[in-house]
Amino acid sequence: DLAALAIIPSLSLALRLDGFEALPPYAGALLTFTLVGLVVRLLIFWRAGLYARYWRYASVDEIALIFLAVAAATAINTLLFFTLRLLPLPLFPYSLTPSLPRSLPLIDGLLTLTAVGGTRFSVRLAERWRRRGRPGGQRVLIIGAGDAGRMIAREIQNNPQLGLEPVGFVDDDPAKQGMKIQGLPVLGDRHSIPQLVRDYKISQAVIAMPTVPGKTIRHFVELCEAAGVRAKIIPGIYELLSGRVTVSQIRNVEIEDLLRREPVRIETDEVIRMVRGKRVLVTGAGGSIGSEICRQVARYGAAELILLGHGENSIFQINHELLGNKEIRGKVNIVPVIADIRDRRRLQSIFEEHRPHIVFHAAAHKHVPLMECNVEEAITNNVLGTKNLIEVAEEAGVERFVFISTDKAVNPTSVMGATKRVCEMMIAMRHDLPVSPCRFVAVRFGNVLGSRGSVVQIFREQIARGGPVTVTHPEMRRYFMTIPEAVQLVLQAAAIGQGGEIFVLDMGEPVRIVDLARDLIRLSGLEVGRDIDIEFIGARPGEKLFEELFAAGEVYERTQHEKVFVVRNGPVQGEREKGERGKGKGSGGAGEQGSRGEEETNHVSRFTFYVDALLAAAERGEPDEVRRLLKVLVPEYRPATEAKGVPHRAR
């Protein structure tokens, strides 16, 4: 730059005067102009960061930086030129006769832009020509000519050690057909894939569309398989948001990609206002949902994060992960706590010490068949643990309490689902009590992909062992979400909750489990029936074929967020309405108005009485009595074991 900036003013003046022979009379003024321009430009270039860039990877951002830096330097130079031109001082010989032409700063600026930009981008041009001379690797077709596709093409071009050679793009946008992006042509649309694979000898296809729904991914995978080429993919939007992967990482297509839906866009401002600067306690912090709540809450700016869990290994892992995250370390006070939520005194001690503002209650026993065999444990952990947390949170002045529920709480056929329904009722009950200043809300959703013990994990293990893959029933269906998606919506529901609501996340369409198994086998490069068999083993105790998101009689509507529903008549209101209908139509007037408060108190007392009886039966080890009391508390509970004539463990 020093050499170029010393020569350019003389070259600019020679261009203006049609030759170098006309320069001698301007020597003094030209020298001053050159020296002032050198100082101004080098200072601005240095401050703009032009000397801190690695120009081998220069891009549009660097072009913009060069243009702005040169424009700023030229503007200052021009201002100084006309200012000093008017000063009649020998120190600044701009005004000496003959005067420098007024167009000189503009010509000088244009030549400077050419020189500064050209020298830098010649480095990248030379690198590209050098790479072109190398033997190519696997020929790659990039599906998607958007920003992600361009980044993948650039990544492959800049890293020849990957052994990949990008051939071109496939995109359905007619405006992109025949165009070049990153120096590569857009060769056709999705229907051209089989022909392009043959014509260009494609070895690999990369799906570069992080926001498209799963059915589109599935279609592209099928097209690539039909063409005889293996498809890979870049991370989806939730993986990018989680911070665990980068857009440059190419991986195999996973089942999460095929089940992907339209990306959820939450109102982050509301969540940030709720979390920033607050002390947040998460129960079950080492679990799949709890650990993701911790990650997202920490990124949204919580002041302190209390990781409460019963298993020391899982708490150690999430604590170690958060402390190792550069974005979180030093900004959030991470406090790991080992405790059992059934121990009320321990909880009181923790809440008194840390005084959390917000509680996310994700701790629970969740495996349906296991809880059918361990009824007492399901009650003491899920119901007693939640009851303890609710009461201790009220005593400690917690501002918000968010209970993580499940679609299995709707018309439950399992002990686990019934316990979750009882907890939903406890949450709604607190809102009916005027003494509680805390906002209690429940959030209900279905299965999450990748959680511990999930069906996807089990299928993968079975495929790795060579099969068979066991499916309970051909028509078994479940709702699925990714863990980051579910947690984002949990945080959104928590932010908009006013107290007493049951929020239900929009889970999309239910997925047949057998289809899930077939997709996993195919994505493993195997074929159903030839390499891996699928066996149907019958529904397990407590399972039902279809999960539901709303119970009969629940009135629900969408909130201001399109992916979150709210139930307006929760379980407490519903039970009260049943009681009122049972009294007949003859009552009314002032007497009925005056009795409503008493009825509400009686209902709460009745509910509390049966919850206490339920806990006592569990502590005594009476599973049949536990099931009877669950039916009293949750009338819609219909044990699947009874429906099939399977005896209970106690019998």
Side-chain angles (χ1 to χ4, degrees):
D1 282 353
L2 188 63
L5 296 177
I7 295 170
I8 284 173
S10 300
L11 180 59
S12 303
L13 186 57
L15 286 172
R16 172 66 180 80
L17 301 176
D18 296 328
F20 286 97
E21 62 275 5
L23 297 187
Y26 298 92
L30 184 61
L31 179 62
T32 304
F33 180 82
T34 301
L35 293 174
V36 172
L38 268 173
V39 173
V40 169
R41 286 194 169 97
L42 290 175
L43 278 174
I44 289 178
F45 291 175
W46 175 70
R47 291 293 297 170
L50 260 62
Y51 302 117
R53 299 279 173 151
Y54 192 49
W55 295 98
R56 177 180 171 184
Y57 300 133
S59 64
V60 174
D61 291 339
E62 278 71 27
I63 293 176
L65 178 65
I66 290 170
F67 179 82
L68 292 173
V70 172
T74 301
I76 295 173
N77 231 17
T78 302
L79 181 64
L80 288 172
F81 175 81
F82 284 105
T83 301
L84 299 179
R85 183 186 177 96
L86 300 175
L87 295 177
L89 300 174
L91 185 60
F92 302 108
Y94 281 36
S95 58
L96 296 178
T97 303
S99 298
L100 293 173
R102 287 171 294 180
S103 59
L104 180 62
L106 176 61
I107 299 172
D108 178 75
L110 292 173
L111 291 180
T112 300
L113 180 62
T114 303
V116 172
T119 54
R120 283 160 173 77
F121 278 87
S122 63
V123 176
R124 180 171 179 182
L125 187 62
E127 177 63 23
R128 178 168 292 185
W129 279 104
R130 185 173 65 85
R131 286 198 304 267
R132 283 189 178 182
R134 294 176 179 174
Q138 291 187 24
R139 296 171 71 78
V140 176
L141 183 67
I142 301 173
I143 300 174
D147 289 339
R150 180 183 59 82
M151 283 189 276
I152 287 297
R154 185 177 64 188
E155 188 75 16
I156 294 173
Q157 290 170 342
N158 289 338
N159 293 278
Q161 69 273 13
L162 295 175
L164 302 175
E165 180 187 355
V167 172
F169 296 93
V170 165
D171 200 289
D172 289 339
D173 186 354
K176 294 178 181 176
Q177 302 300 320
M179 296 293 183
K180 285 196 172 185
I181 298 172
Q182 201 69 26
L184 301 173
V186 180
L187 298 169
D189 59 14
R190 69 177 71 189
H191 304 294
S192 308
I193 290 176
Q195 186 66 37
L196 294 174
V197 169
R198 290 191 297 269
D199 293 347
Y200 290 89
K201 296 180 174 57
I202 301 297
S203 303
Q204 189 177 118
V206 177
I207 302 172
M209 295 180 291
T211 60
V212 298
K215 62 181 180 181
T216 304
I217 301 295
R218 182 187 299 272
H219 182 55
F220 279 119
V221 170
E222 290 170 352
L223 285 172
C224 291
E225 286 182 349
V229 66
R230 188 73 181 270
K232 294 202 172 187
I233 196 168
I234 66 167
I237 190 68
Y238 292 109
E239 291 177 88
L240 299 178
L241 288 172
S242 71
R244 293 191 294 271
V245 292
T246 63
V247 76
S248 62
Q249 289 179 298
I250 302 171
R251 57 165 173 77
N252 292 326
V253 179
E254 302 286 356
I255 192 65
E256 290 84 353
D257 301 306
L258 301 188
L259 298 178
R260 187 193 301 171
R261 295 179 288 138
E262 293 291 337
V264 173
R265 294 175 176 84
I266 68 167
E267 298 294 333
T268 54
D269 291 343
E270 289 182 346
V271 177
I272 290 172
R273 281 196 296 271
M274 175 185 71
V275 170
R276 177 167 289 172
K278 298 296 180 68
R279 296 183 295 275
V280 180
L281 183 145
V282 181
T283 72
S288 305
I289 294 295
S291 60
E292 183 62 24
I293 291 175
C294 293
R295 294 183 194 100
Q296 294 197 25
V297 163
R299 283 200 296 271
Y300 283 125
E304 183 171 280
L305 184 56
I306 301 103
L307 315 176
L308 192 151
H310 194 209
E312 61 169 336
N313 289 331
S314 59
I315 293 298
F316 171 82
Q317 288 171 356
I318 185 62
N319 180 57
H320 181 70
E321 177 190 328
L322 294 175
L323 291 177
N325 190 316
K326 293 180 181 178
E327 297 179 7
I328 297 172
R329 186 174 59 241
K331 298 178 182 177
V332 184
N333 183 30
I334 308 295
V335 183
V337 176
I338 305 300
D340 189 334
I341 58 175
R342 290 173 285 200
D343 186 343
R344 183 187 174 98
R345 289 184 180 178
R346 174 73 171 133
L347 289 179
Q348 286 176 324
S349 173
I350 293 166
F351 276 69
E352 287 172 5
E353 179 181 357
H354 298 286
R355 311 300 296 182
H357 298 102
I358 304 170
V359 173
F360 288 95
H361 177 29
H365 287 328
K366 65 177 184 177
H367 292 290
V368 169
L370 278 179
M371 292 305 102
E372 292 300 305
C373 302
N374 298 274
V375 176
E376 304 92 328
E377 189 71 14
I379 298 300
T380 56
N381 190 70
N382 292 4
V383 179
L384 175 61
T386 301
K387 181 174 182 288
N388 287 342
L389 279 164
I390 289 173
E391 293 172 354
V392 171
E394 282 185 318
E395 293 169 4
V398 169
E399 297 173 4
R400 292 177 188 266
F401 187 105
V402 184
F403 170 68
I404 306 299
S405 188
T406 170
D407 55 0
K408 293 174 178 60
V410 180
N411 299 323
T413 59
S414 65
V415 170
M416 193 282 282
T419 61
K420 285 288 192 175
R421 183 61 167 172
V422 171
C423 293
E424 285 185 354
M425 297 170 78
M426 285 194 288
I427 291 294
M429 191 83 68
R430 308 316 286 191
H431 181 64
D432 283 4
L433 299 177
V435 297
S436 178
C438 180
R439 296 183 183 182
F440 288 93
V441 300
V443 183
R444 184 191 294 167
F445 56 89
N447 296 35
V448 287
L449 290 166
S451 62
R452 294 175 190 168
S454 71
V455 66
V456 173
Q457 271 191 341
I458 294 170
F459 285 169
R460 282 176 175 152
E461 291 168 2
Q462 291 175 337
I463 292 169
R465 293 196 301 265
V469 172
T470 56
V471 178
T472 53
H473 192 281
E475 292 302 320
M476 186 77 71
R477 297 171 188 261
R478 291 291 182 268
Y479 292 98
F480 286 99
M481 298 182 88
T482 64
I483 294 173
E485 178 185 20
V487 169
Q488 279 194 309
L489 290 176
V490 166
L491 294 177
Q492 183 73 77
I496 63 179
Q498 297 301 309
E501 302 102 330
I502 297 176
F503 291 102
V504 183
L505 307 188
D506 185 349
M507 301 290 296
E509 295 297 321
V511 177
R512 285 205 317 168
I513 302 300
V514 67
D515 292 337
L516 199 68
R518 290 193 182 105
D519 286 336
L520 277 167
I521 292 170
R522 194 174 75 251
L523 291 175
S524 302
L526 304 171
E527 187 175 322
V528 179
R530 187 190 68 185
D531 306 303
I532 299 283
D533 291 326
I534 293 177
E535 290 185 3
F536 296 103
I537 60 174
R540 297 171 297 178
E543 287 187 327
K544 52 184 178 179
L545 292 183
F546 304 93
E547 296 292 1
E548 304 156 274
L549 295 179
F550 303 98
E554 284 186 336
V555 177
Y556 59 91
E557 61 187 38
R558 289 191 185 272
T559 63
Q560 60 263 41
H561 193 283
E562 62 178 358
K563 296 290 185 180
V564 180
F565 295 93
V566 62
V567 176
R568 290 300 181 191
N569 62 328
V572 178
Q573 295 94 323
E575 288 300 308
R576 188 186 306 117
E577 288 169 7
K578 289 178 186 176
E580 290 173 356
R581 286 196 298 269
K583 289 184 177 181
K585 300 180 180 179
S587 59
E592 182 179 350
Q593 293 284 341
S595 66
R596 284 182 180 172
E598 184 179 347
E599 290 172 7
E600 185 170 307
T601 302
N602 290 338
H603 178 78
V604 172
S605 300
R606 177 177 178 274
F607 177 81
T608 303
F609 170 80
Y610 279 110
V611 168
D612 291 341
L614 178 73
L615 296 176
E619 289 176 0
R620 291 193 303 268
E622 300 175 351
D624 281 345
E625 179 66 5
V626 166
R627 286 189 173 91
R628 186 189 72 79
L629 290 168
L630 280 176
K631 287 182 186 177
V632 174
L633 285 163
V634 186
E636 63 270 28
Y637 169 47
R638 293 290 181 270
T641 51
E642 286 187 357
K644 294 179 180 180
V646 177
H648 294 320
R649 175 164 58 90
R651 297 175 188 165

